[in-house]
Amino acid sequence: MPHNDPSPETLERLERAEQMKLDGKYREALGLLEELLLEDPENVSALEEVADNELSLGDFRRAEAAATQAVSLDSASYTGHYILGFLRSRTEQWSEAVTHLTKANRLKANNAEILRCLGWALFHSGQRAQGIVTIERALNLDADSVLTLCDLGVAYLEVQNFLKSRTLLERALELEPGNVRAKECIAAVDKLSRMVRQG
């Protein structure tokens, strides 16, 4: 079982680590969090933050270890489940990704980032309609997310709804003119729609 009510001093250190993470100082944040975990190895919040920072640094093995530990100590760690789901998506283990992300979504409803990842995993696990609906929900919660616009654009491209796909990808480029993924996807939309028209 997870601990109840961390001390004010622990909370203050967690908040400092969170601020460092927001400032992009992932290694400094990890230093602070690792000190916390030495004193209290079962601090789920610190483990979640470690997983998140390691993810930002691209150390997926360490991110997975921390997220797995957080979930084993507290099955209601939505951050732990989200990170595990995200990591399973990266390796295209779609059904495992769906399992973790569904749990994360149940524990933390209406979180745009969880819904985006869940929708993407559902879409790729063969539940295409459900996946698109879920990514649409993520976009309704965060209309200016370039990641969500691109994911939804790609999903519509794959089901050959070219008009919808192009509209979403153009919106992503309006928000982020240098976005390589959006540019490449628009080129793919144009190419595929030509091929389909020529039949």
Side-chain angles (χ1 to χ4, degrees):
M1 274 306 288
H3 295 313
N4 300 327
D5 304 330
S7 71
E9 193 249 351
T10 298
L11 281 174
E12 191 266 328
R13 286 158 80 189
L14 282 167
E15 278 164 22
R16 261 204 343 258
E18 174 74 16
Q19 191 53 55
M20 287 172 180
K21 181 179 75 178
L22 294 174
D23 294 342
K25 298 175 180 168
Y26 306 115
R27 297 224 181 273
E28 291 93 323
L30 282 167
L32 192 59
L33 293 161
E34 279 157 10
E35 280 172 26
L36 260 175
L37 285 167
L38 281 173
E39 297 159 27
D40 179 7
E42 297 190 355
N43 186 320
V44 173
S45 299
L47 285 163
E48 291 172 343
E49 285 296 315
V50 166
D52 207 7
N53 279 285
E54 295 290 8
L55 202 58
S56 299
L57 288 168
D59 194 330
F60 301 123
R61 194 181 50 78
R62 288 178 61 116
E64 179 164 357
T68 302
Q69 179 74 357
V71 167
S72 72
L73 288 166
D74 180 4
S75 61
S77 166
Y78 77 86
T79 303
H81 283 295
Y82 159 70
I83 288 172
L84 290 171
F86 175 84
L87 291 168
R88 294 296 172 273
S89 288
R90 282 193 72 260
T91 51
E92 298 186 5
Q93 294 167 282
W94 300 116
S95 62
E96 279 187 48
V98 168
T99 302
H100 282 295
L101 292 163
T102 301
K103 276 186 193 152
N105 183 48
R106 220 178 290 127
L107 294 161
K108 178 83 170 169
N110 298 320
N111 177 294
E113 178 57 16
I114 291 171
L115 284 168
R116 178 184 76 80
C117 291
L118 175 58
W120 188 248
L122 283 165
F123 186 85
H124 286 90
S125 69
Q127 301 175 61
R128 288 186 152 201
Q130 186 63 37
I132 285 175
V133 167
T134 307
I135 304 172
E136 290 270 15
R137 279 185 54 212
L139 192 60
N140 286 338
L141 291 166
D142 184 2
D144 292 340
S145 164
V146 172
L147 273 175
T148 307
L149 286 160
C150 284
D151 281 1
L152 198 52
V154 170
Y156 276 117
L157 170 62
E158 289 191 29
V159 297
Q160 298 197 353
N161 185 336
F162 301 122
L163 185 64
K164 184 97 177 162
S165 177
R166 198 173 214 298
T167 305
L168 289 157
L169 294 162
E170 283 173 351
R171 173 81 181 116
L173 274 181
E174 273 171 37
L175 291 165
E176 207 176 280
N179 190 295
V180 176
R181 184 182 177 206
K183 285 179 182 170
E184 286 173 355
C185 290
I186 286 176
V189 169
D190 293 345
K191 185 179 168 188
L192 269 170
S193 57
R194 267 198 312 276
M195 282 165 63
V196 168
R197 277 200 307 274
Q198 289 160 1

